[in-house]
Amino acid sequence: MLSYILDRLKSSIVVLFVVSVITFFVLMIIPGNPAQLILGTDATPEAIQELHAAMGLDRPLYQQYLSWLLDLFTLDMGSSYVYGESVTALIARSIPVTFSISIFAMVMAVFIAFLFGIISAIKKNSIADYFSRSIMQLGAAIPSFWIGMVFIVYFGIKLRILPVSGFVPIEQSFAGFIKSILLPSVVLAIGEVGTLLRIIRSSMLDSLKQDYMDMARVKGLSTGKTYIKYALRGALTAPLTIIGMQFAKLAGGTVVVETIFALPGLGRMVLTAVEHRDIVLLQGLVMFITSTVIIITLIVDISVMYLNPRIKSFQQGEL
Amino acid sequence: MNETVVLKDLQINAGDNILVNKTSIVIEEGEIFGLVGESGSGKTLTAKAIINLLPKGLSYSADEIITAGKNMLTASAEEKKEHIGKNIGYIPQNTVFYLHPMIKIKNQIGDGYVYHMHKTKKEALEKAEALLYKVGFKYPKIVLNYYPWQLSGGMRQRCNIAMALMNDPKLIIADEPTTALDSTVQRQVMDLFRTINEEMKLSILLISHNLGLVKHYSHSLAVMYAGQIVESGYTNTVFSNPKHPYTRLLIEIIPSFKIKKDERLAEIPGLAAENGRDIKGCVFFKRCPKAMDICKEMVAEHIDDKHDHYYRCNLK
């Protein structure tokens, strides 16, 4: 188990290194002079030249890369041109926004998807099954910007019970925090629930057909034991992987939803950085998002291994 | 004598297609009853009808199904579940996925015992340990901590046998329990069945396509063909005086060591019918070497006076 985790960590470091090289060089060779962008079109060529040198942009690329990489180890990712603040501080500030709506959305999606996925697999072709299948269709078909707008109009403007935009930090007011993340989370959850429900339903259907279900039935166990201990246990691997992928996707920033609800999250920041060619900020964000995805994937893989120990033996060469 | 299973005139349908027809079985208390037939002859379905495990989509009807003293035709679904869980042990064909691959043996072997007998998990594990020892594991504690896929096929089958014995059942249904096992292990498993049968006085329904095996281990047997029982009776009687041409052919083709080099194994030409199992005549008509014209129209049932030999054939 430990050796597997260490192995995965080693390969994660390689991935991060490759990502850092690609991010740095691709962004650096994009045309456009950051010094020019900062100073504007009215600046004299001398002033631009001076700033260019001050920012270290006249050094060879590999030198710039190495100093950037070394700074990365101390969590110093430079400072943003647009915000004039350190990238680390900016990311740290938007993490609570993006992570709280992502976590909240995933909790809702997971709960609903498991509830209806399990019921619709057990009671195939029942009313509950048709209902679940409509959830799948709707979740896949409704664009999040549209449902977000509908929510804003209905809950924010017509009923006036929820704020239409902005983020309230949890330490400021708990009720305010919940209210501010509720609508965006629901919108995100609607986007994810369909896929997850589909996977849970089909894994459950598959598990219900397995021979061990015959055994559980012949043992005459209670319905709960039969379906949860035997059927669901055999059906967890695929949904868990999907949950990890979905969460990793959301945690990397949700541009559309953050924009609609004017939330200062990671997705908005990526957008701003791209719009303003804030290369330093963009490099920092890409590195951060990549690390997040790698960590989440690692956690998911370890949980899957725990659930399905055959994978562990396979890794260790027992099988 | 008391009967553990009484099955009268069972018919199983998949839509309009009849899979099992006019099947009656009586299993006496404490006997090993062999149910023999080719693949697709309806052996497993018949057994599953006894323990209420028929797949969805199949319907069945019968004049009488009494399993371990309870009438299955009048019992409610909940009663059936409870009764079968308590009194029947099921040993399936291939054990790879009959034991849940993601649950350790100790967490699945005793759950029926805990549920039906109202015992603690600790008591269940103690009993499981004793039973695993009985089925031939020297270190049952270690086996309990394994996942099923860490055991060999023979070990898994013995775990299944131990699991089936947990509730001290009245009947064990063993559905081709030795398929996928090599012949040494096959022998061990079968001897184990015999020991269990003798020591615990429980009935065993042994489903097999291996007539040699059934001859060796069962007290009574029934031969199934195309969804019908064509001959049944005490094993000795049937083997010393087989009446139905199908049984005779089956007995003739049991492989023996007398076979010469390059000699082909004997076979019965043709295949069992998939459809038309409800015809008035004999289901074996097309493959029967002694078929007569009358066999198309009707088939006679013979039961001798002592009720220990039954067959469906127009031959005397």
Side-chain angles (χ1 to χ4, degrees):
Chain A
M1 186 82 171
L2 196 69
S3 70
Y4 171 73
I5 297 173
L6 283 175
D7 248 23
R8 286 295 310 266
L9 281 176
K10 267 188 264 169
S11 66
S12 303
I13 289 168
V14 175
V15 172
L16 272 179
F17 175 73
V18 173
V19 170
S20 78
V21 172
I22 294 171
T23 323
F24 188 86
F25 287 100
V26 167
L27 290 179
M28 276 308 187
I29 56 171
I30 289 176
N33 186 341
Q36 171 102 57
L37 281 168
I38 293 169
L39 295 174
T41 39
D42 301 336
T44 59
E46 290 76 31
I48 292 171
Q49 198 57 48
E50 205 176 306
L51 185 64
H52 197 78
M55 289 167 77
L57 294 171
D58 53 350
R59 291 177 296 165
L61 271 184
Y62 75 91
Q63 274 186 18
Q64 292 185 44
Y65 172 71
L66 281 180
S67 68
W68 177 72
L69 194 65
L70 285 176
D71 286 344
L72 212 56
F73 284 111
T74 58
L75 289 183
D76 175 9
M77 294 186 266
S79 59
S80 151
Y81 319 147
V82 181
Y83 294 93
E85 266 184 88
S86 93
V87 171
T88 315
L90 284 168
I91 292 178
R93 211 181 319 137
S94 42
I95 287 174
V97 182
T98 297
F99 276 39
S100 47
I101 58 171
S102 307
I103 293 172
F104 209 50
M106 280 317 287
V107 168
M108 279 188 281
V110 166
F111 181 75
I112 293 170
F114 268 101
L115 186 68
F116 286 100
I118 292 170
I119 294 174
S120 82
I122 295 172
K123 303 262 175 218
K124 201 180 163 196
N125 294 329
S126 66
I127 295 173
D129 189 22
Y130 288 120
F131 183 70
S132 309
R133 283 195 240 167
S134 352
I135 297 182
M136 288 183 219
Q137 301 289 344
L138 285 176
I142 298 178
S144 54
F145 67 87
W146 179 80
I147 192 82
M149 277 176 344
V150 170
F151 279 177
I152 288 175
V153 169
Y154 192 73
F155 292 105
I157 298 170
K158 217 165 157 214
L159 295 179
R160 290 179 181 281
I161 47 172
L162 290 169
V164 294
S165 67
F167 178 74
V168 182
I170 191 163
E171 54 273 15
Q172 199 175 317
S173 143
F174 184 71
F177 165 75
I178 295 291
K179 274 186 183 172
S180 72
I181 65 165
L182 189 60
L183 285 186
S185 315
V186 171
V187 173
L188 287 180
I190 291 174
E192 304 302 330
V193 76
T195 317
L196 192 55
L197 208 165
R198 190 184 298 269
I199 299 291
I200 293 171
R201 181 173 177 272
S202 67
S203 310
M204 258 316 257
L205 281 175
D206 188 55
S207 182
L208 286 170
K209 271 187 247 150
Q210 296 294 326
D211 292 335
Y212 50 74
M213 290 310 294
D214 262 8
M215 210 64 186
R217 270 180 219 124
V218 119
K219 280 186 192 167
L221 300 176
S222 65
T223 317
K225 261 247 157 93
T226 312
Y227 288 129
I228 304 301
K229 179 173 170 180
Y230 284 86
L232 186 60
R233 187 71 164 75
L236 273 183
T237 318
L240 202 70
T241 313
I242 299 294
I243 290 171
M245 284 165 64
Q246 289 182 321
F247 184 63
K249 184 179 82 187
L250 296 185
T254 50
V255 179
V256 174
V257 168
E258 283 172 20
T259 308
I260 293 173
F261 289 95
L263 296 170
L266 286 169
R268 277 269 300 270
M269 198 172 283
V270 171
L271 202 62
T272 316
V274 172
E275 275 171 1
H276 297 275
R277 282 185 197 250
D278 193 340
I279 291 168
V280 177
L281 180 56
L282 204 51
Q283 285 166 338
L285 282 167
V286 171
M287 284 313 286
F288 173 74
I289 292 169
T290 313
S291 325
T292 316
V293 172
I294 287 175
I295 291 169
I296 292 171
T297 319
L298 184 62
I299 294 173
V300 168
D301 285 351
I302 292 169
S303 334
V304 168
M305 197 167 74
Y306 178 76
L307 274 176
N308 190 355
R310 266 179 301 180
I311 295 172
K312 181 166 65 184
S313 294
F314 188 69
Q315 292 287 348
Q316 292 166 354
E318 267 181 33
L319 278 172
Chain B
M1 251 208 271
N2 291 317
E3 293 102 1
T4 310
V5 173
V6 180
L7 181 69
K8 250 187 211 159
D9 225 353
L10 173 76
Q11 178 170 335
I12 301 175
N13 298 333
D16 293 334
N17 199 8
I18 292 180
L19 302 177
V20 171
N21 196 14
K22 295 174 202 151
T23 291
S24 304
I25 286 180
V26 174
I27 302 178
E28 305 284 350
E29 197 178 297
E31 78 171 347
I32 298 182
F33 187 95
L35 190 54
V36 206
E38 294 172 49
S39 303
S41 59
K43 309 178 297 264
T44 302
L45 285 179
T46 305
K48 285 192 168 174
I50 297 173
I51 52 174
N52 190 33
L53 199 66
L54 282 177
K56 275 179 194 165
L58 297 186
S59 57
Y60 72 99
S61 65
D63 289 348
E64 201 173 9
I65 303 180
I66 292 174
T67 309
K70 189 160 196 106
N71 191 336
M72 286 290 131
L73 293 173
T74 53
S76 72
E78 202 55 35
E79 279 171 356
K80 275 194 258 187
K81 198 172 90 173
E82 168 107 21
H83 183 76
I84 288 163
K86 259 187 191 171
N87 295 301
I88 315 283
Y90 180 61
I91 296 164
Q93 198 168 109
N94 191 332
T95 46
V96 180
F97 284 116
Y98 275 99
L99 290 164
H100 197 297
M102 297 177 198
I103 302 177
K104 284 185 179 173
I105 302 289
K106 65 173 175 187
N107 292 328
Q108 52 184 325
I109 194 165
D111 49 6
Y113 185 65
V114 171
Y115 182 70
H116 292 296
M117 305 296 173
H118 310 288
K119 303 282 181 177
T120 63
K121 195 173 169 193
K122 193 164 161 266
E123 286 170 307
L125 285 182
E126 277 164 13
K127 175 138 194 192
E129 237 176 86
L131 284 171
L132 285 171
Y133 188 79
K134 195 182 179 69
V135 298
F137 286 109
K138 282 214 175 101
Y139 306 103
K141 271 207 172 105
I142 302 175
V143 175
L144 284 173
N145 277 312
Y146 276 138
Y147 287 95
W149 43 267
Q150 290 171 312
L151 304 171
S152 72
M155 287 162 108
R156 273 198 294 264
Q157 191 59 301
R158 279 184 280 160
C159 282
N160 264 327
I161 297 173
M163 188 154 80
L165 291 172
M166 281 299 284
N167 291 353
D168 297 319
K170 297 200 177 96
L171 169 71
I172 280 190
I173 292 187
D175 188 354
E176 311 222 5
T178 54
T179 354
L181 298 180
D182 61 50
S183 33
T184 335
V185 185
Q186 200 168 10
R187 173 93 193 263
Q188 286 170 4
V189 169
M190 287 313 300
D191 286 343
L192 183 63
F193 275 123
R194 183 181 269 168
T195 317
I196 293 165
N197 168 261
E198 281 165 5
E199 282 180 10
M200 302 165 108
K201 303 275 173 257
L202 48 74
S203 319
I204 297 176
L205 171 55
L206 174 64
I207 300 170
S208 178
H209 53 242
N210 185 342
L211 196 62
L213 193 99
V214 170
K215 178 187 176 186
H216 205 73
Y217 289 95
S218 71
H219 304 112
S220 307
L221 87 164
V223 179
M224 269 192 112
Y225 182 82
Q228 289 184 7
I229 289 183
V230 292
E231 182 158 7
S232 66
Y234 291 125
T235 309
N236 287 338
T237 321
V238 173
F239 272 90
S240 58
N241 186 17
K243 292 289 188 185
H244 199 281
Y246 182 60
T247 319
R248 283 188 209 162
L249 284 167
L250 282 180
I251 293 172
E252 273 172 30
I253 63 172
I254 295 177
S256 74
F257 286 116
K258 283 178 214 147
I259 195 160
K260 291 191 189 78
K261 194 187 168 206
D262 291 338
E263 185 185 330
R264 276 178 66 99
L265 287 173
E267 57 181 322
I268 305 174
L271 291 168
E274 295 286 334
N275 299 311
R277 291 183 172 185
D278 55 340
I279 49 169
K280 274 191 213 131
C282 177
V283 281
F284 191 55
F285 176 72
K286 280 185 186 151
R287 295 170 77 187
C288 185
K290 295 183 177 166
M292 303 174 286
D293 285 343
I294 190 169
C295 300
K296 250 192 247 181
E297 309 301 327
M298 56 88 65
V299 58
E301 292 185 69
H302 304 267
I303 305 174
D304 74 349
D305 302 336
K306 284 177 283 170
H307 281 261
D308 56 7
H309 198 169
Y310 161 93
Y311 63 99
R312 295 166 66 87
C313 186
N314 291 323
L315 294 169
K316 280 279 170 326

